[in-house]
Amino acid sequence: MLRRPRRNRKSTVIRDMVEETRLSVNDFMLPLFLLEGNSKKVEVDSMPGVYRLSLDNMLREVETCLKLGIRAFDVFPVVDEKHKDKIATQSYNHDFFYLKALTEIKKEFPEACIMTDVAMDPYSTDGHDGIVDDEGNILNDETLEILGEMTLSQAQTGIDIIGPSDMMDGRVEYLRDVLDENGFENTSIMSYTAKYASAFYGPFRDALDSAPKSGDKKTYQMNPANLREAIIEGELDEEEGADFLMVKPALAYLDVIKLLRDNFDLPIAAYNVSGEYAMIKAAAQKGWLDGDKAMMESLLSMRRAGAKIILTYFAKEAAILLKS
Ligand code: PBG
């Protein structure tokens, strides 16, 4: 036999030398769930080990993460039903706890990179990312105006990146214009470029109590059957001024990550979503999988497919393993 691929696997040193992909804590962004109030810490039932935190606890959590080398965070608000309405009014109210907390987080940790979520669902009585009319249609262009208000209010808190997760057409350009016109040309946009209508968001909707009250999100989120359509979304986001292109979910969509990596020069992010976290945690709790190994292998697969940035609820655990 002239060629024996096993020779390159024969020792740890050689295996390490030929290793093509490596995870780094620099690649991670940790999603966080913010609660109104003080000294609150409530675990998400379907996401063991993930907590909804009030600002005081979140500041402590950010501090712990920074010590582990995790420096990027994506903060989502958990909004009480009484603050919700059809047009997400609280999303741009400067006195609302989410915006006030963002200011505090950036004040205390200016070195941390903070991303915010732009979509109506956490604040909407309909549980949809856009405005719902009387017939149940999601109104695209009318929604942009609200997303614009939301974006500007978030940018004014000093955050680093806005993350439009709403999938309305034309929102990257619209939000880029709003930012630039108001002197926020340095605020970045991480677009949820290829965001699929996925069952894997279930635990996240539990965490935020944000599931749609009627219908589903199929008229704005992508059909899981479609790959080529991701190119259209990528082209638009690139033209419209996005700084990063994101694929979501990650694990069942590695081909989409690879496709965007091969076709665009912007950095690619993958959102390792709540359901992917829950699957591994549940199997590990039952003793059916080695949770740590399954976690590292799936994160690695996202890097191998071409994602540079990984948004993951595993960030802390993975950072600890990478250190040891
Ligand atoms: C909504 C939003 C969702 C997630 C992030 N932003 C859920 C949805 O679209 O219904 C899901 C994240 C996760 O599952 O971890 N704008």
Side-chain angles (χ1 to χ4, degrees):
M1 250 185 272
L2 210 53
R3 305 197 58 185
R4 286 181 180 271
R6 286 187 55 192
R7 275 196 291 267
N8 280 353
R9 299 175 203 139
K10 74 181 172 191
S11 72
T12 310
V13 180
I14 292 178
R15 282 195 298 273
D16 284 351
M17 277 196 296
V18 302
E19 186 166 274
E20 297 172 36
T21 314
R22 224 159 269 177
L23 283 171
S24 156
V25 69
N26 293 335
D27 308 328
F28 298 149
M29 183 183 272
L30 175 68
L32 293 169
F33 302 130
L34 180 76
L35 278 176
E36 191 172 6
N38 254 306
S39 52
K40 289 192 190 143
K41 181 175 176 181
V42 188
E43 193 169 28
V44 182
D45 287 341
S46 46
M47 301 176 77
V50 172
Y51 296 85
R52 288 165 282 209
L53 302 170
S54 53
L55 176 62
D56 50 341
N57 285 323
M58 190 168 289
L59 291 171
R60 239 155 281 148
E61 176 72 354
V62 169
E63 193 174 13
T64 309
C65 288
L66 290 171
K67 285 190 188 128
L68 286 169
I70 301 160
R71 295 171 296 167
F73 305 89
D74 186 6
V75 184
F76 293 92
V78 182
V79 179
D80 196 278
E81 203 62 35
K82 68 172 186 275
H83 296 312
K84 298 185 185 181
D85 62 19
K86 283 201 66 90
I87 54 167
T89 309
Q90 295 306 326
S91 66
Y92 49 91
N93 169 3
H94 286 280
D95 295 325
F96 199 53
F97 77 99
Y98 180 58
L99 295 172
K100 289 205 296 199
L102 295 170
T103 309
E104 286 302 310
I105 297 170
K106 274 308 288 187
K107 197 157 75 187
E108 190 145 343
F109 305 107
E111 72 277 30
C113 173
I114 305 296
M115 181 156 108
T116 52
D117 188 56
V118 174
M120 285 175 59
D121 54 329
Y123 317 88
S124 149
T125 36
D126 294 305
H128 275 287
D129 295 27
I131 302 175
V132 185
D133 75 6
D134 293 342
E135 280 88 54
N137 303 306
I138 313 295
L139 306 177
N140 194 90
D141 301 14
E142 292 81 349
T143 296
L144 295 184
E145 291 174 31
I146 294 175
L147 301 179
E149 301 274 0
M150 202 183 296
T151 291
L152 181 57
S153 314
Q154 293 174 357
Q156 286 165 342
T157 69
I159 54 91
D160 303 88
I161 306 176
I162 60 149
S165 65
D166 55 283
M167 289 300 278
M168 295 302 117
D169 289 337
R171 90 272 207 214
V172 171
E173 181 175 9
Y174 188 93
L175 301 179
R176 186 70 268 159
D177 284 347
V178 166
L179 289 169
D180 290 355
E181 281 161 15
N182 288 282
F184 293 102
E185 47 282 293
N186 286 326
T187 307
S188 313
I189 301 181
M190 183 182 289
S191 178
Y192 287 60
T193 299
K195 176 172 179 181
Y196 287 86
S198 170
F200 289 102
Y201 308 148
F204 174 95
R205 293 178 187 171
D206 294 342
L208 259 57
D209 190 20
S210 64
K213 298 279 161 53
S214 66
D216 51 42
K217 299 193 174 186
K218 288 182 187 169
T219 67
Y220 47 107
Q221 299 182 347
M222 285 174 60
N223 180 348
N226 293 357
L227 176 64
R228 284 155 40 79
E229 202 178 320
I231 296 274
I232 300 176
E233 290 287 357
E235 282 168 357
L236 287 170
D237 284 354
E238 188 178 52
E239 283 164 20
E240 293 181 28
D243 301 289
F244 313 85
L245 304 181
M246 188 208 289
V247 175
K248 176 183 178 186
L251 206 47
Y253 297 84
L254 295 175
D255 54 337
V256 184
I257 296 174
K258 167 96 171 99
L259 185 73
L260 294 193
R261 174 69 180 81
D262 289 345
N263 283 280
F264 297 96
D265 295 327
L266 289 167
I268 308 298
Y271 198 138
N272 178 210
V273 299
S274 57
E276 302 172 48
Y277 175 88
M279 279 196 300
I280 290 182
K281 281 289 170 193
Q285 279 184 349
K286 280 197 168 266
W288 290 351
L289 272 183
D290 180 322
D292 283 350
K293 287 191 178 139
M295 161 181 80
M296 293 313 257
E297 187 176 327
S298 48
L299 293 172
L300 188 67
S301 75
M302 293 160 206
R303 284 282 287 118
R304 193 191 62 237
K308 179 60 185 61
I309 301 161
I310 304 175
L311 291 91
T312 179
Y313 304 96
F314 285 124
K316 260 172 91 181
E317 286 172 77
I320 291 167
L321 282 183
L322 287 173
K323 265 197 172 178
S324 63

Short mmCIF file of all heavy atoms in Angstrom, two decimals, residues 6-57:
data_model
loop_
_atom_site.label_atom_id
_atom_site.label_comp_id
_atom_site.label_asym_id
_atom_site.label_seq_id
_atom_site.Cartn_x
_atom_site.Cartn_y
_atom_site.Cartn_z
N ARG A 6 -3.66 6.37 7.82
CA ARG A 6 -3.53 6.18 9.26
C ARG A 6 -2.18 6.66 9.80
O ARG A 6 -2.05 6.92 10.99
CB ARG A 6 -3.76 4.70 9.63
CG ARG A 6 -5.22 4.29 9.53
CD ARG A 6 -5.45 2.90 10.06
NE ARG A 6 -4.97 2.75 11.43
CZ ARG A 6 -4.84 1.57 12.03
NH1 ARG A 6 -5.15 0.46 11.40
NH2 ARG A 6 -4.39 1.50 13.26
N ARG A 7 -1.14 6.76 8.91
CA ARG A 7 0.17 7.25 9.40
C ARG A 7 0.04 8.65 10.00
O ARG A 7 0.72 8.99 10.95
CB ARG A 7 1.20 7.23 8.27
CG ARG A 7 1.88 5.88 8.07
CD ARG A 7 3.14 6.02 7.23
NE ARG A 7 2.83 6.35 5.85
CZ ARG A 7 2.67 5.46 4.87
NH1 ARG A 7 2.85 4.16 5.10
NH2 ARG A 7 2.36 5.84 3.66
N ASN A 8 -0.87 9.46 9.42
CA ASN A 8 -1.05 10.82 9.95
C ASN A 8 -1.93 10.87 11.19
O ASN A 8 -2.24 11.93 11.69
CB ASN A 8 -1.63 11.74 8.86
CG ASN A 8 -0.55 12.22 7.90
OD1 ASN A 8 0.64 11.97 8.13
ND2 ASN A 8 -0.95 12.91 6.85
N ARG A 9 -2.31 9.68 11.67
CA ARG A 9 -3.11 9.65 12.90
C ARG A 9 -2.40 8.88 14.00
O ARG A 9 -2.98 8.56 15.03
CB ARG A 9 -4.46 8.96 12.64
CG ARG A 9 -5.31 9.64 11.60
CD ARG A 9 -6.59 8.85 11.29
NE ARG A 9 -7.08 9.22 9.96
CZ ARG A 9 -7.58 8.38 9.08
NH1 ARG A 9 -7.71 7.08 9.37
NH2 ARG A 9 -7.97 8.81 7.91
N LYS A 10 -1.10 8.56 13.78
CA LYS A 10 -0.48 7.56 14.65
C LYS A 10 -0.06 8.07 16.03
O LYS A 10 0.14 7.27 16.93
CB LYS A 10 0.71 6.90 13.94
CG LYS A 10 1.95 7.78 13.83
CD LYS A 10 3.05 7.03 13.10
CE LYS A 10 4.21 7.97 12.81
NZ LYS A 10 5.17 7.35 11.87
N SER A 11 0.07 9.37 16.21
CA SER A 11 0.42 9.87 17.55
C SER A 11 -0.29 11.19 17.81
O SER A 11 -0.71 11.88 16.87
CB SER A 11 1.93 10.10 17.66
OG SER A 11 2.32 11.23 16.90
N THR A 12 -0.35 11.56 19.08
CA THR A 12 -1.01 12.83 19.42
C THR A 12 -0.32 14.00 18.74
O THR A 12 -0.95 14.91 18.24
CB THR A 12 -0.97 13.04 20.96
OG1 THR A 12 -1.43 11.85 21.57
CG2 THR A 12 -1.85 14.19 21.37
N VAL A 13 1.01 13.96 18.73
CA VAL A 13 1.76 15.08 18.13
C VAL A 13 1.40 15.23 16.66
O VAL A 13 1.09 16.34 16.18
CB VAL A 13 3.28 14.87 18.28
CG1 VAL A 13 4.03 16.04 17.66
CG2 VAL A 13 3.66 14.71 19.75
N ILE A 14 1.42 14.13 15.94
CA ILE A 14 1.10 14.21 14.50
C ILE A 14 -0.36 14.59 14.31
O ILE A 14 -0.68 15.46 13.50
CB ILE A 14 1.45 12.89 13.79
CG1 ILE A 14 2.97 12.72 13.77
CG2 ILE A 14 0.90 12.89 12.35
CD1 ILE A 14 3.46 11.44 13.14
N ARG A 15 -1.23 13.99 15.12
CA ARG A 15 -2.65 14.36 14.99
C ARG A 15 -2.85 15.86 15.22
O ARG A 15 -3.58 16.52 14.50
CB ARG A 15 -3.51 13.55 15.98
CG ARG A 15 -3.77 12.12 15.53
CD ARG A 15 -4.90 11.48 16.33
NE ARG A 15 -4.61 11.39 17.76
CZ ARG A 15 -3.96 10.37 18.34
NH1 ARG A 15 -3.52 9.35 17.60
NH2 ARG A 15 -3.74 10.36 19.64
N ASP A 16 -2.15 16.39 16.23
CA ASP A 16 -2.27 17.83 16.49
C ASP A 16 -1.70 18.68 15.34
O ASP A 16 -2.25 19.71 14.99
CB ASP A 16 -1.56 18.20 17.80
CG ASP A 16 -2.39 17.76 19.02
OD1 ASP A 16 -3.55 17.36 18.83
OD2 ASP A 16 -1.85 17.82 20.15
N MET A 17 -0.58 18.20 14.78
CA MET A 17 0.04 18.97 13.69
C MET A 17 -0.86 19.03 12.46
O MET A 17 -0.88 20.05 11.77
CB MET A 17 1.38 18.35 13.29
CG MET A 17 2.53 18.79 14.17
SD MET A 17 4.13 18.45 13.43
CE MET A 17 4.15 16.66 13.35
N VAL A 18 -1.57 17.95 12.18
CA VAL A 18 -2.38 17.94 10.96
C VAL A 18 -3.83 18.39 11.21
O VAL A 18 -4.63 18.39 10.28
CB VAL A 18 -2.36 16.54 10.27
CG1 VAL A 18 -0.94 16.12 9.93
CG2 VAL A 18 -3.06 15.49 11.12
N GLU A 19 -4.09 18.79 12.43
CA GLU A 19 -5.45 19.21 12.77
C GLU A 19 -5.82 20.48 12.01
O GLU A 19 -5.13 21.49 12.10
CB GLU A 19 -5.52 19.46 14.28
CG GLU A 19 -6.89 19.76 14.79
CD GLU A 19 -6.93 19.66 16.31
OE1 GLU A 19 -7.12 18.54 16.83
OE2 GLU A 19 -6.73 20.69 16.98
N GLU A 20 -6.93 20.42 11.27
CA GLU A 20 -7.28 21.53 10.38
C GLU A 20 -8.11 22.62 11.05
O GLU A 20 -8.13 23.76 10.59
CB GLU A 20 -8.08 20.98 9.18
CG GLU A 20 -7.30 20.01 8.32
CD GLU A 20 -8.20 19.36 7.27
OE1 GLU A 20 -9.11 20.02 6.75
OE2 GLU A 20 -7.99 18.16 7.00
N THR A 21 -8.85 22.23 12.05
CA THR A 21 -9.79 23.18 12.66
C THR A 21 -9.61 23.17 14.16
O THR A 21 -9.46 22.10 14.75
CB THR A 21 -11.25 22.75 12.37
OG1 THR A 21 -11.36 22.41 11.01
CG2 THR A 21 -12.23 23.86 12.70
N ARG A 22 -9.61 24.33 14.76
CA ARG A 22 -9.46 24.40 16.21
C ARG A 22 -10.48 25.38 16.78
O ARG A 22 -10.72 26.43 16.19
CB ARG A 22 -8.04 24.85 16.56
CG ARG A 22 -7.42 24.05 17.68
CD ARG A 22 -5.91 24.16 17.66
NE ARG A 22 -5.26 23.10 16.87
CZ ARG A 22 -3.96 23.03 16.67
NH1 ARG A 22 -3.14 23.93 17.16
NH2 ARG A 22 -3.45 22.02 15.97
N LEU A 23 -11.04 25.05 17.91
CA LEU A 23 -11.97 25.97 18.58
C LEU A 23 -11.17 26.91 19.44
O LEU A 23 -10.18 26.52 20.06
CB LEU A 23 -12.92 25.19 19.47
CG LEU A 23 -14.08 24.44 18.82
CD1 LEU A 23 -14.76 23.56 19.86
CD2 LEU A 23 -15.07 25.41 18.20
N SER A 24 -11.62 28.15 19.49
CA SER A 24 -11.00 29.12 20.39
C SER A 24 -12.11 29.87 21.11
O SER A 24 -13.19 30.11 20.54
CB SER A 24 -10.15 30.09 19.58
OG SER A 24 -10.00 31.30 20.29
N VAL A 25 -11.83 30.24 22.34
CA VAL A 25 -12.81 31.00 23.11
C VAL A 25 -13.11 32.34 22.43
O VAL A 25 -14.17 32.91 22.61
CB VAL A 25 -12.32 31.14 24.57
CG1 VAL A 25 -11.11 32.05 24.65
CG2 VAL A 25 -13.42 31.64 25.48
N ASN A 26 -12.18 32.80 21.59
CA ASN A 26 -12.39 34.05 20.84
C ASN A 26 -13.57 33.95 19.87
O ASN A 26 -14.10 34.97 19.43
CB ASN A 26 -11.16 34.41 20.01
CG ASN A 26 -9.98 34.79 20.87
OD1 ASN A 26 -10.16 35.23 22.00
ND2 ASN A 26 -8.78 34.59 20.36
N ASP A 27 -13.93 32.72 19.50
CA ASP A 27 -15.00 32.52 18.53
C ASP A 27 -16.39 32.58 19.16
O ASP A 27 -17.39 32.63 18.45
CB ASP A 27 -14.88 31.14 17.85
CG ASP A 27 -13.50 30.90 17.27
OD1 ASP A 27 -12.87 31.87 16.84
OD2 ASP A 27 -13.06 29.73 17.26
N PHE A 28 -16.46 32.50 20.47
CA PHE A 28 -17.76 32.33 21.13
C PHE A 28 -18.46 33.64 21.45
O PHE A 28 -17.83 34.61 21.86
CB PHE A 28 -17.62 31.56 22.45
CG PHE A 28 -17.09 30.16 22.31
CD1 PHE A 28 -16.33 29.60 23.33
CD2 PHE A 28 -17.35 29.41 21.18
CE1 PHE A 28 -15.83 28.30 23.20
CE2 PHE A 28 -16.86 28.11 21.05
CZ PHE A 28 -16.09 27.56 22.08
N MET A 29 -19.78 33.59 21.28
CA MET A 29 -20.64 34.66 21.80
C MET A 29 -21.71 33.96 22.64
O MET A 29 -22.30 32.99 22.19
CB MET A 29 -21.27 35.43 20.64
CG MET A 29 -22.12 36.59 21.09
SD MET A 29 -22.94 37.46 19.72
CE MET A 29 -21.72 38.67 19.24
N LEU A 30 -21.91 34.45 23.85
CA LEU A 30 -22.86 33.81 24.76
C LEU A 30 -24.19 34.55 24.78
O LEU A 30 -24.24 35.73 25.13
CB LEU A 30 -22.28 33.76 26.19
CG LEU A 30 -23.20 33.24 27.29
CD1 LEU A 30 -23.48 31.74 27.11
CD2 LEU A 30 -22.60 33.49 28.67
N PRO A 31 -25.30 33.88 24.43
CA PRO A 31 -26.61 34.52 24.56
C PRO A 31 -27.03 34.56 26.04
O PRO A 31 -26.82 33.60 26.77
CB PRO A 31 -27.56 33.60 23.77
CG PRO A 31 -26.68 32.69 22.97
CD PRO A 31 -25.41 32.56 23.77
N LEU A 32 -27.60 35.70 26.45
CA LEU A 32 -28.04 35.86 27.84
C LEU A 32 -29.49 36.34 27.86
O LEU A 32 -29.90 37.11 27.00
CB LEU A 32 -27.16 36.92 28.54
CG LEU A 32 -25.69 36.58 28.78
CD1 LEU A 32 -24.94 37.83 29.22
CD2 LEU A 32 -25.54 35.48 29.81
N PHE A 33 -30.24 35.90 28.87
CA PHE A 33 -31.64 36.28 29.00
C PHE A 33 -31.81 37.21 30.20
O PHE A 33 -31.55 36.81 31.33
CB PHE A 33 -32.52 35.05 29.20
CG PHE A 33 -32.43 34.05 28.08
CD1 PHE A 33 -32.20 32.69 28.33
CD2 PHE A 33 -32.57 34.45 26.76
CE1 PHE A 33 -32.13 31.77 27.29
CE2 PHE A 33 -32.49 33.53 25.71
CZ PHE A 33 -32.27 32.19 25.98
N LEU A 34 -32.26 38.42 29.93
CA LEU A 34 -32.36 39.45 30.97
C LEU A 34 -33.78 39.55 31.55
O LEU A 34 -34.75 39.73 30.81
CB LEU A 34 -31.97 40.81 30.40
CG LEU A 34 -32.04 41.97 31.37
CD1 LEU A 34 -30.86 41.94 32.35
CD2 LEU A 34 -32.09 43.30 30.63
N LEU A 35 -33.87 39.48 32.89
CA LEU A 35 -35.14 39.65 33.60
C LEU A 35 -35.21 41.05 34.19
O LEU A 35 -34.20 41.62 34.59
CB LEU A 35 -35.23 38.66 34.76
CG LEU A 35 -35.66 37.22 34.50
CD1 LEU A 35 -35.55 36.44 35.80
CD2 LEU A 35 -37.08 37.18 33.97
N GLU A 36 -36.44 41.55 34.30
CA GLU A 36 -36.67 42.82 34.98
C GLU A 36 -36.50 42.58 36.48
O GLU A 36 -36.77 41.48 36.97
CB GLU A 36 -38.11 43.28 34.68
CG GLU A 36 -38.41 44.68 35.08
CD GLU A 36 -39.79 45.14 34.58
OE1 GLU A 36 -40.54 44.32 34.03
OE2 GLU A 36 -40.08 46.33 34.76
N GLY A 37 -36.05 43.60 37.20
CA GLY A 37 -36.00 43.48 38.66
C GLY A 37 -34.62 43.20 39.21
O GLY A 37 -33.61 43.40 38.52
N ASN A 38 -34.61 42.71 40.44
CA ASN A 38 -33.36 42.51 41.16
C ASN A 38 -33.22 41.11 41.73
O ASN A 38 -34.22 40.48 42.05
CB ASN A 38 -33.30 43.49 42.33
CG ASN A 38 -32.32 44.60 42.04
OD1 ASN A 38 -31.16 44.32 41.72
ND2 ASN A 38 -32.78 45.83 42.11
N SER A 39 -31.99 40.69 41.92
CA SER A 39 -31.61 39.39 42.50
C SER A 39 -32.51 38.24 42.05
O SER A 39 -32.97 37.44 42.84
CB SER A 39 -31.54 39.47 44.03
OG SER A 39 -32.72 40.01 44.57
N LYS A 40 -32.74 38.19 40.74
CA LYS A 40 -33.52 37.08 40.18
C LYS A 40 -32.61 36.19 39.36
O LYS A 40 -31.72 36.65 38.65
CB LYS A 40 -34.64 37.61 39.29
CG LYS A 40 -35.74 38.29 40.07
CD LYS A 40 -36.94 38.51 39.17
CE LYS A 40 -37.96 39.40 39.84
NZ LYS A 40 -38.61 40.29 38.90
N LYS A 41 -32.88 34.88 39.50
CA LYS A 41 -32.12 33.89 38.75
C LYS A 41 -33.03 32.68 38.56
O LYS A 41 -33.29 31.95 39.51
CB LYS A 41 -30.86 33.50 39.54
CG LYS A 41 -29.99 32.50 38.84
CD LYS A 41 -28.69 32.21 39.58
CE LYS A 41 -27.94 31.12 38.83
NZ LYS A 41 -26.70 30.72 39.44
N VAL A 42 -33.59 32.54 37.37
CA VAL A 42 -34.60 31.51 37.14
C VAL A 42 -34.14 30.59 36.00
O VAL A 42 -33.93 31.04 34.87
CB VAL A 42 -35.96 32.14 36.74
CG1 VAL A 42 -37.05 31.08 36.68
CG2 VAL A 42 -36.34 33.27 37.70
N GLU A 43 -33.99 29.32 36.32
CA GLU A 43 -33.52 28.39 35.30
C GLU A 43 -34.60 28.18 34.23
O GLU A 43 -35.79 28.19 34.53
CB GLU A 43 -33.14 27.05 35.95
CG GLU A 43 -32.35 26.14 35.03
CD GLU A 43 -31.75 24.93 35.78
OE1 GLU A 43 -32.34 24.51 36.78
OE2 GLU A 43 -30.69 24.43 35.33
N VAL A 44 -34.18 27.99 32.99
CA VAL A 44 -35.10 27.65 31.91
C VAL A 44 -35.30 26.14 31.95
O VAL A 44 -34.32 25.39 31.82
CB VAL A 44 -34.52 28.08 30.54
CG1 VAL A 44 -35.51 27.78 29.42
CG2 VAL A 44 -34.13 29.55 30.54
N ASP A 45 -36.53 25.69 32.17
CA ASP A 45 -36.78 24.25 32.35
C ASP A 45 -36.21 23.41 31.22
O ASP A 45 -35.62 22.35 31.45
CB ASP A 45 -38.29 23.97 32.43
CG ASP A 45 -38.86 24.43 33.76
OD1 ASP A 45 -38.07 24.60 34.71
OD2 ASP A 45 -40.09 24.63 33.84
N SER A 46 -36.41 23.89 29.99
CA SER A 46 -35.98 23.09 28.84
C SER A 46 -34.51 23.33 28.47
O SER A 46 -34.03 22.79 27.47
CB SER A 46 -36.89 23.37 27.65
OG SER A 46 -37.09 24.77 27.50
N MET A 47 -33.81 24.15 29.28
CA MET A 47 -32.38 24.38 29.02
C MET A 47 -31.61 24.29 30.34
O MET A 47 -31.18 25.32 30.89
CB MET A 47 -32.17 25.78 28.40
CG MET A 47 -32.90 26.00 27.10
SD MET A 47 -32.69 27.70 26.48
CE MET A 47 -31.03 27.61 25.82
N PRO A 48 -31.41 23.08 30.86
CA PRO A 48 -30.74 22.95 32.15
C PRO A 48 -29.39 23.66 32.15
O PRO A 48 -28.61 23.50 31.21
CB PRO A 48 -30.55 21.43 32.32
CG PRO A 48 -31.29 20.78 31.21
CD PRO A 48 -31.75 21.80 30.23
N GLY A 49 -29.16 24.46 33.19
CA GLY A 49 -27.88 25.18 33.28
C GLY A 49 -27.94 26.57 32.67
O GLY A 49 -26.99 27.33 32.77
N VAL A 50 -29.07 26.92 32.03
CA VAL A 50 -29.23 28.26 31.47
C VAL A 50 -30.25 29.02 32.32
O VAL A 50 -31.33 28.50 32.60
CB VAL A 50 -29.68 28.21 29.99
CG1 VAL A 50 -30.03 29.60 29.47
CG2 VAL A 50 -28.60 27.58 29.14
N TYR A 51 -29.89 30.23 32.72
CA TYR A 51 -30.73 31.00 33.64
C TYR A 51 -31.16 32.32 33.04
O TYR A 51 -30.41 32.95 32.29
CB TYR A 51 -29.95 31.28 34.94
CG TYR A 51 -29.61 30.03 35.69
CD1 TYR A 51 -28.46 29.30 35.37
CD2 TYR A 51 -30.45 29.54 36.68
CE1 TYR A 51 -28.15 28.12 36.03
CE2 TYR A 51 -30.15 28.37 37.36
CZ TYR A 51 -29.00 27.67 37.03
OH TYR A 51 -28.71 26.49 37.69
N ARG A 52 -32.38 32.74 33.40
CA ARG A 52 -32.81 34.11 33.14
C ARG A 52 -32.33 34.93 34.33
O ARG A 52 -32.57 34.55 35.49
CB ARG A 52 -34.32 34.17 33.03
CG ARG A 52 -34.84 33.54 31.75
CD ARG A 52 -36.31 33.28 31.80
NE ARG A 52 -36.57 32.08 32.59
CZ ARG A 52 -37.60 31.27 32.43
NH1 ARG A 52 -38.47 31.51 31.50
NH2 ARG A 52 -37.76 30.21 33.18
N LEU A 53 -31.65 36.04 34.06
CA LEU A 53 -30.99 36.78 35.15
C LEU A 53 -31.45 38.23 35.19
O LEU A 53 -31.63 38.86 34.15
CB LEU A 53 -29.47 36.78 34.93
CG LEU A 53 -28.78 35.41 34.83
CD1 LEU A 53 -27.33 35.60 34.37
CD2 LEU A 53 -28.83 34.68 36.17
N SER A 54 -31.62 38.75 36.41
CA SER A 54 -31.83 40.19 36.52
C SER A 54 -30.47 40.88 36.38
O SER A 54 -29.41 40.23 36.47
CB SER A 54 -32.49 40.54 37.84
OG SER A 54 -31.76 39.99 38.91
N LEU A 55 -30.50 42.20 36.17
CA LEU A 55 -29.27 42.92 35.83
C LEU A 55 -28.13 42.67 36.81
O LEU A 55 -26.99 42.43 36.39
CB LEU A 55 -29.57 44.42 35.73
CG LEU A 55 -28.33 45.30 35.46
CD1 LEU A 55 -27.69 44.95 34.12
CD2 LEU A 55 -28.71 46.78 35.50
N ASP A 56 -28.41 42.72 38.12
CA ASP A 56 -27.33 42.52 39.10
C ASP A 56 -26.63 41.18 38.88
O ASP A 56 -25.40 41.09 38.86
CB ASP A 56 -27.86 42.66 40.54
CG ASP A 56 -29.11 41.82 40.78
OD1 ASP A 56 -29.78 41.41 39.82
OD2 ASP A 56 -29.43 41.57 41.96
N ASN A 57 -27.43 40.13 38.68
CA ASN A 57 -26.84 38.81 38.45
C ASN A 57 -26.16 38.72 37.08
O ASN A 57 -25.16 38.02 36.92
CB ASN A 57 -27.90 37.72 38.58
CG ASN A 57 -28.26 37.46 40.04
OD1 ASN A 57 -27.40 37.52 40.92
ND2 ASN A 57 -29.53 37.22 40.30
#
